[in-house]
Amino acid sequence: MIPPIIQWADFQKVDLRAGTILRVEEFPEARKPAYKVWVDLGEMGIKKSSAQITGNYKLAELVGKQVICVVNFPPRQIANFISEILVTGFADAEDNVVLASMDKKVPNGSRLF
């Protein structure tokens, strides 16, 4: 399927930022396997996300990892947790999420363009 063509202004509406994962916890209350993740987004502060990344990642390996996050979605309640951002990724061959990240460290809060 070919996606619809968008205008530059459409792309600019999606605010994608770099952040560093500071803390990760198990999230047994979630319907699908997930972690509670806290991400440092620089001047934007620390934001929380429910991330379905348990298939490829263990808790300990996530702390310190830089990720790309959508920061301008409205907050969403997932079980008893408020998810403030979307941590982005791609599905692998087994349909598990592989996190989208940078190949070099950038300042937290940097905007993708």
Side-chain angles (χ1 to χ4, degrees):
M1 179 176 122
I2 298 174
I5 300 296
I6 65 171
Q7 300 302 312
W8 179 251
D10 296 320
F11 175 72
Q12 287 183 304
K13 292 177 187 176
V14 182
D15 196 351
L16 293 153
R17 302 285 178 135
T20 301
I21 297 175
L22 298 178
R23 179 175 150 202
V24 185
E25 293 179 4
E26 298 281 349
F27 192 9
E29 301 87 0
R31 278 187 293 144
K32 296 181 180 178
Y35 292 137
K36 294 178 183 177
V37 180
W38 285 259
V39 180
D40 179 355
L41 291 159
E43 291 183 7
M44 298 182 81
I46 298 168
K47 303 290 182 183
K48 303 177 296 184
S49 182
S50 169
Q52 295 175 6
I53 55 175
T54 60
N56 280 323
Y57 300 97
K58 295 185 181 180
L59 293 171
E61 71 183 292
L62 289 166
V63 174
K65 183 168 184 60
Q66 276 202 311
V67 292
I68 300 169
C69 305
V70 177
V71 298
N72 62 333
F73 282 138
R76 184 172 174 200
Q77 184 161 354
I78 311 293
N80 60 350
F81 186 74
I82 302 296
S83 187
E84 302 171 295
I85 59 174
L86 173 69
V87 177
T88 64
F90 301 90
D92 66 12
E94 287 78 42
D95 211 29
N96 292 311
V97 175
V98 175
L99 290 168
S101 62
M102 292 64 65
D103 65 348
K104 296 190 186 322
K105 191 165 178 64
V106 299
N108 289 331
S110 294
R111 185 161 188 193
L112 183 134
F113 57 90

